[in-house]
Amino acid sequence: MLHEYREVISKLKLDNAHFAKIFEKHNELDQKIADAEEGREHISEAELDALKKEKLKLKDEAYATIVAYKKEHNL
């Protein structure tokens, strides 16, 4: 997720517990979605769509935190 911000993400994961939680939850959802799409986990299409929406919401929140951090630190 957001690989172009790898350095900022590493810093935020150490310094911001909320960001670390968002990032971890995003990765968990990513794995669960991949498992469902590849047939390792069976969930309904509605559940899969809900997971994808939640994952996107977390990505948006993480991105907003990254942008705010960059602005605050003039990066």
Side-chain angles (χ1 to χ4, degrees), residues 40-55:
R40 292 186 297 271
E41 186 171 330
H42 300 287
I43 61 175
S44 71
E45 283 298 317
E47 289 172 308
L48 183 59
D49 287 343
L51 292 177
K52 288 179 178 182
K53 287 177 184 177
E54 184 179 355
K55 179 183 161 197

Side-chain angles (χ1 to χ4, degrees), residues 5-66:
Y5 301 108
R6 188 169 291 140
E7 289 180 30
V8 174
I9 289 170
S10 294
K11 181 77 171 144
L12 280 168
K13 284 171 44 179
L14 293 174
D15 296 344
N16 184 322
H18 181 68
F19 181 84
K21 185 177 176 182
I22 291 168
F23 198 84
E24 181 180 338
K25 180 67 176 172
H26 177 276
N27 287 340
E28 288 171 4
L29 288 172
D30 190 50
Q31 185 62 53
K32 189 168 185 167
I33 290 166
D35 288 345
E37 290 178 337
E38 295 170 15
R40 292 186 297 271
E41 186 171 330
H42 300 287
I43 61 175
S44 71
E45 283 298 317
E47 289 172 308
L48 183 59
D49 287 343
L51 292 177
K52 288 179 178 182
K53 287 177 184 177
E54 184 179 355
K55 179 183 161 197
L56 183 57
K57 180 182 170 200
L58 291 171
K59 184 176 182 178
D60 289 346
E61 187 176 349
Y63 180 72
T65 303
I66 291 167

